[in-house]
Amino acid sequence: MPMTRMTCRRTATVLVALAATALTACQTLPLDDPELAAARTAVAQARADDQATGVGATDIASAEQALQGAEAAWKDRDADEARHQAYLARRHAEAALALGQQARFDARTQQAAAEGARLRQEAATREAAARQAELHFASDQAGLTAQARRLAARVAAALQQYPERRVRIEGHADSRGSDAGNLRLSQRRAEAFRQALQKAGVDAARIDVQAYGESRPTADNATAAGRCENRRVELLVSNGEGRFDAAR
Amino acid sequence: MASNAAPVPPPTPALAGGSAAVDAARSAGAAELAPVEMGSATGKLERAQALARDGKNLEARRLAEEAAADAAAARAKAGAERSRRAATEAESGVASLRGPAPSNTPRP
């Protein structure tokens, strides 16, 4: 049927000419469509995102189905349906990507929360340590060392900045000697530091003194090093409400 | 355009789906957090309802479906934005904890 073939070829020529002159018209199909191309890009991007494929699996499935519909419609030369399906595909791909982003942000929030809890714990530990100081004494002596006097000056300066805080001085002794003697010795040690603080300008009303004798050792009294540890005063600075509980 | 094809059925399911998706996005705060997508969704849903009343079922169905897809994107973007704000806030909280810690209390 040579006549028919001739007719077909002529029609095809006319179509090609139309396509070349009227790319934006709906009746003729250009080689590709921006909406379809954008949908392919968006779906590929979502598919390549490891978070989106997890939390956005449903949207990716919708996007892929719509993209297939768009490609099929495009082949069938139904440009309106192709663009419609491509639009759906792009929007669902966007949704999947957003869900993936959300998962990443949520992970960052969780990490920050854990980090914050750790830092707050560290700060609390540091503050408790900073509010407690120890000073040591020679055997059977209650005289302050030079270091102790320097500390008294620093404590006095700090207390001036924080008028709501109080200090408690606790005196201790090692186990050598009698209990009664050690109680008196520990009292003299605490009083010595109290005098140093008062001399440095701290109001006596803000200072508590407590003597414990040998009753609260922090180290082994059987060794010289341990006894040295035990011959001490402990200095506690209160919190802002005047309480000492967090220091212990 | 499809005068001699089978008649297009009323787009009732698509309209219902679009309406539900828009409601869900609105509940997720999308009007505030993803206003562009949300505006597109509500506009298309309204046009779809009008087209359905005029018997333009194919166009109505497509617009209703697009409204649902807009709403899905709006909802997801709203969630991402809310999470982004939460992450930023949590991280700035950590940064302030890391800042110069006041050490006015004495150490031995």
Side-chain angles (χ1 to χ4, degrees):
Chain A
M1 290 177 275
M3 277 298 284
T4 315
R5 198 172 294 157
M6 276 278 282
T7 315
C8 282
R9 197 174 299 146
R10 198 167 298 148
T11 311
T13 314
V14 171
L15 269 177
V16 169
L18 270 174
T21 52
L23 273 174
T24 48
C26 281
Q27 263 63 27
T28 59
L29 288 179
L31 286 178
D32 209 345
D33 179 83
E35 185 69 60
L36 190 52
R40 285 196 202 106
T41 307
V43 171
Q45 199 186 344
R47 229 190 253 131
D49 186 309
D50 59 337
Q51 291 288 333
T53 52
V55 291
T58 310
D59 277 301
I60 287 193
S62 302
E64 286 177 335
Q65 196 187 343
L67 185 59
Q68 280 171 14
E71 303 281 10
W74 191 253
K75 266 191 202 129
D76 291 348
R77 303 186 156 249
D78 185 349
D80 286 344
E81 180 65 11
R83 286 181 190 131
H84 167 63
Q85 293 291 339
Y87 185 86
L88 300 183
R90 183 163 61 80
R91 280 306 203 192
H92 280 291
E94 283 176 17
L97 283 167
L99 290 172
Q101 272 187 329
Q102 181 174 18
R104 289 196 184 87
F105 285 129
D106 288 346
R108 273 171 53 185
T109 303
Q110 278 188 0
Q111 198 182 346
E115 180 70 358
R118 192 180 66 75
L119 288 172
R120 272 189 293 275
Q121 178 61 46
E122 274 182 15
T125 309
R126 229 180 7 251
E127 197 199 333
R131 289 206 278 120
Q132 185 171 359
E134 288 190 13
L135 294 161
H136 298 280
F137 295 81
S139 183
D140 207 26
Q141 298 291 313
L144 296 182
T145 60
Q147 187 213 356
R149 292 183 193 285
R150 281 196 299 275
L151 179 66
R154 276 170 52 206
V155 171
L159 286 171
Q160 248 165 15
Q161 276 188 38
Y162 297 96
E164 74 285 3
R165 297 198 179 216
R166 302 175 51 80
V167 286
R168 180 197 288 171
I169 304 165
E170 298 180 349
H172 299 271
D174 65 26
S175 64
R176 293 201 296 189
S178 69
D179 285 3
N182 280 332
L183 191 60
R184 283 195 301 276
L185 182 57
S186 66
Q187 179 82 35
R188 278 166 50 217
R189 286 170 175 162
E191 293 290 350
F193 197 76
R194 188 236 288 267
Q195 281 170 18
L197 279 186
Q198 284 182 243
K199 212 169 150 186
V202 180
D203 186 348
R206 296 174 64 191
I207 309 172
D208 295 331
V209 167
Q210 180 75 49
Y212 288 105
E214 59 178 89
S215 65
R216 296 189 177 188
T218 55
D220 185 2
N221 271 310
T223 67
R227 287 192 296 277
C228 179
E229 284 292 305
N230 290 335
R231 295 191 296 271
R232 69 197 192 277
V233 300
E234 292 184 20
L235 175 66
L236 285 78
V237 180
S238 79
N239 63 18
E241 286 84 50
R243 289 197 316 271
F244 295 93
D245 45 0
R248 271 288 152 104
Chain B
M1 59 192 265
S3 53
N4 53 0
V8 179
T12 316
L15 284 171
S19 181
V22 165
D23 286 346
R26 195 177 284 122
S27 305
E32 188 230 334
L33 297 168
V36 176
E37 290 79 4
M38 194 60 189
S40 177
T42 51
K44 282 181 180 170
L45 184 61
E46 281 166 19
R47 274 156 57 210
Q49 283 158 347
L51 285 165
R53 278 194 295 275
D54 293 348
K56 293 179 176 165
N57 289 346
L58 176 64
E59 291 89 335
R61 175 179 62 75
R62 281 181 179 157
L63 275 178
E65 286 174 359
E66 292 185 9
D70 285 342
R75 187 184 181 183
K77 286 178 186 185
E81 175 59 16
R82 185 176 291 109
S83 291
R84 186 191 66 77
R85 292 181 186 181
T88 307
E89 196 178 328
E91 283 168 359
S92 77
V94 169
S96 70
L97 281 175
R98 280 222 185 83
S103 57
N104 297 307
T105 38
R107 291 180 78 83

